Amino acid sequence: MIYSDPIKEQQKADFMEHLYEVYQPANHLYTGLWERFKEEAAEHCRNEYFAKLQFIKDFQLDVAFRKQQSNL
């Protein structure tokens, strides 16, 4: 038997209400809000990943440049 967690279920419902308020769908339906959120969240995570990689690269270049400058 599968038992649902009422707290988790309420959290899901509360989050869907939040998405409804954020997106304000013109059709006044909740349908598709979770999918839209997942797509936007995935794009955001991908962008953040590459931004972090760029930050690391820039930091490493800066450290190498400063090290080179201090050796002159």
Side-chain angles (χ1 to χ4, degrees):
M1 182 181 282
I2 298 175
Y3 295 99
S4 64
D5 180 346
I7 293 172
K8 292 269 186 208
E9 292 302 314
Q10 185 61 52
Q11 288 174 338
K12 284 194 246 179
D14 292 345
F15 193 73
M16 287 303 296
E17 184 64 30
H18 170 70
L19 292 180
Y20 185 89
E21 291 172 15
V22 168
Y23 293 127
Q24 299 178 357
N27 63 7
H28 304 291
L29 299 175
Y30 287 78
T31 304
L33 296 180
W34 178 246
E35 287 75 18
R36 182 174 171 185
F37 170 75
K38 288 191 302 184
E39 191 172 310
E40 289 178 1
E43 289 176 19
H44 175 75
C45 287
R46 182 184 57 215
N47 293 340
E48 285 293 310
Y49 169 75
F50 287 107
K52 287 176 185 177
L53 289 180
Q54 187 63 50
F55 175 82
I56 292 167
K57 182 180 177 181
D58 293 345
F59 178 78
Q60 290 170 335
L61 288 171
D62 186 55
V63 168
F65 176 76
R66 289 174 188 266
K67 185 174 181 181
Q68 181 185 32
Q69 292 296 315
S70 68
N71 289 334
L72 293 178

